[in-house]
Every structure is written in structure tokens, then in C-alpha cells.
Amino acid sequence: MYPTVPPRVEYALTELGASLGRVTHLLGDWTVKHKDEILAAREQFDERQAAAPAPL
């Protein structure tokens, strides 16, 4: 915190937080790379759910 008006604060990630950021970045890259496959799998699931008989 800095002694200013209005108060000002700076935040930074720890190395532990930065390491998690690297993991989530990789997950995001994977998601973009497999987007078409993910969307196709969702559509197939939705179609199976729509064709399934209703529970009694």
C-alpha cells in the first residue's frame, strides 16, 4: 500500500500462483486446439439425450 489519497495498492502473484497460471494457460491452449472435437461430442451427447426414453 502506498501513502496516497486515494489509497493505492499493488498486487502480484507469488511463484506458486504463477505456476498455476502456466497450467491454466496450457488447459486453455488444449481447449482451443480441440474445440471442434469438443463441440461434436456435445452435439452427440445432446442427440442421445433427446432420443432417450423419458423416465416413468
Side-chain angles (χ1 to χ4, degrees):
M1 185 171 155
Y2 296 93
T4 60
V5 176
R8 180 175 69 125
V9 179
E10 286 186 11
Y11 296 94
L13 284 175
T14 62
E15 182 53 38
L16 182 62
S19 70
L20 179 60
R22 290 188 287 275
V23 172
T24 57
H25 183 77
L26 290 171
L27 179 60
D29 287 347
W30 180 91
T31 303
V32 169
K33 181 178 179 181
H34 297 281
K35 178 186 75 164
D36 292 336
E37 295 167 78
I38 294 167
L39 293 174
R42 285 181 179 175
E43 288 178 14
Q44 290 172 4
F45 177 83
D46 290 344
E47 289 169 2
R48 285 194 310 268
Q49 291 300 106
L56 298 176

